[in-house]
Amino acid sequence: MQRSFWRKIPVLVTTFFLAGLVWMMQPSAALAYDNPELLPDRPTPVIDLAKTFTDIQEEQLVADLDKFTADTGWKLRVLTQYDRTPGRAVINFWGLDDKSILLVADSRGGNILSFSVGDAVYELLPRTFWIELQTRFGNLYYVREHGEDRAILGALESVESCLIKGGCNVVPGLPREQWILTLITSTLGGVICGFAAQPRRPGQALAWQWALIFSPLWGILFIAFGIGPVVTRTTEWLPLIRNISGFLIGALVAYLTPIFGRSSASET
């Protein structure tokens, strides 16, 4: 089983690499054509060709983006499309530059969101941030549950909050699905630590040497995958307390398993 796990690692790495290539190629594909006749006849930060927003939503979004640009100098622009796209014509229409962020929403793909980001933006929001942002808000499950409009607005809110506070390495907020994954890794790390710490000699209470030997494994699961994603995405204490509790419970159960086994054998 352990060999099977290690054999899957190259497959996972290849999958993430291909996903990254697809993500980097999407903005260029979305702007591959030049159809200026689809552009509006007045300045606006939102071009809603796919009719994703209601009139009230679009008016509010336009006002918010104009105010954000006036207050911060960062240009956030939104293009929704389906079977028609103005393509590269939006570059001149919006005057996109190094301080511009273009969000393109197209529901024809597996992920509805793609981004074209200016060079100055990467100094505050690295490429990994945009990959996580696209994955969190643009995936089909999120869109199916919340709608395309909320996916776009949620992504914009994350970008705005990060730019206001001077940059982010990760997307703020901890979705329930991601927290559950951190809880599982924390508990698994505790189980490994508990098994490693089981006494192996008569009179020994704790095999701390073995626990130390296996510390890179359970430490990565608990600290890097269990605690790290929580503390970098939210200031709430409850998810952190639950993950620590999951680690301790997993370690305790794994540590006491031989005792329970010996008790059952003696009773029979």
Side-chain angles (χ1 to χ4, degrees):
M1 182 177 179
Q2 190 174 8
R3 291 181 178 177
S4 176
F5 171 77
W6 290 110
R7 288 175 182 173
K8 291 180 180 178
I9 290 181
V11 178
L12 293 175
V13 172
T14 303
T15 301
F16 282 114
F17 177 76
L18 292 177
L21 288 179
V22 171
W23 172 78
M24 289 186 291
M25 292 172 63
Q26 279 182 339
S28 299
L31 302 177
Y33 301 98
D34 192 358
N35 296 322
E37 66 275 7
L38 296 177
L39 297 174
D41 54 3
R42 55 183 176 80
T44 176
V46 180
I47 301 177
D48 187 18
L49 297 178
K51 302 301 179 184
T52 302
F53 304 107
T54 64
D55 292 340
I56 297 177
Q57 282 180 315
E58 184 173 353
E59 291 176 3
Q60 183 64 48
L61 181 58
V62 168
D64 290 343
L65 295 183
D66 284 339
K67 184 177 185 303
F68 184 78
T69 300
D71 293 342
T72 65
W74 297 101
K75 293 182 182 178
L76 270 67
R77 300 294 182 259
V78 178
L79 168 65
T80 70
Q81 59 188 27
Y82 185 67
D83 57 345
R84 300 182 304 164
T85 173
R88 297 183 59 84
V90 299
I91 297 177
N92 294 328
F93 177 77
W94 277 323
L96 300 180
D97 53 24
D98 288 345
K99 299 192 67 175
S100 300
I101 301 168
L102 170 60
L103 184 155
V104 180
D106 193 329
S107 58
R108 290 175 294 182
N111 191 300
I112 72 165
L113 300 181
S114 60
F115 300 91
S116 181
V117 182
D119 292 338
V121 182
Y122 285 122
E123 298 178 3
L124 303 180
L125 307 175
R127 293 184 184 274
T128 53
F129 172 90
W130 298 102
I131 295 175
E132 182 180 353
L133 186 70
Q134 182 190 38
T135 304
R136 179 183 298 185
F137 292 102
N139 69 83
L140 295 178
Y141 298 103
Y142 187 94
V143 173
R144 190 179 304 160
E145 183 175 353
H146 300 279
E148 293 184 13
D149 55 341
R150 286 307 311 167
I152 297 171
L153 296 176
L156 291 174
E157 289 172 3
S158 296
V159 173
E160 289 179 351
S161 65
C162 284
L163 289 176
I164 289 175
K165 66 181 183 181
C168 296
N169 289 322
V170 296
V171 179
L174 186 66
R176 178 176 176 81
E177 296 78 8
Q178 189 172 16
W179 169 72
I180 291 176
L181 181 60
T182 63
L183 178 62
I184 292 173
T185 58
S186 298
T187 305
L188 181 59
V191 170
I192 295 174
C193 181
F195 275 121
Q198 289 176 357
R200 290 166 174 79
R201 297 193 305 268
Q204 186 181 35
L206 182 70
W208 61 269
Q209 299 94 335
W210 284 100
L212 187 62
I213 291 173
F214 281 90
S215 61
L217 180 56
W218 60 259
I220 289 175
L221 289 171
F222 175 52
I223 299 176
F225 296 147
I227 300 300
V230 175
V231 298
T232 56
R233 289 167 172 80
T234 180
T235 57
E236 296 182 7
W237 284 96
L238 186 58
L240 185 61
I241 293 174
R242 288 175 174 174
N243 284 12
I244 295 175
S245 300
F247 175 83
L248 295 176
I249 293 173
L252 184 61
V253 171
Y255 177 80
L256 297 177
T257 297
I259 298 177
F260 293 145
R262 287 195 296 266
S263 299
S264 301
S266 62
E267 291 177 1
T268 56

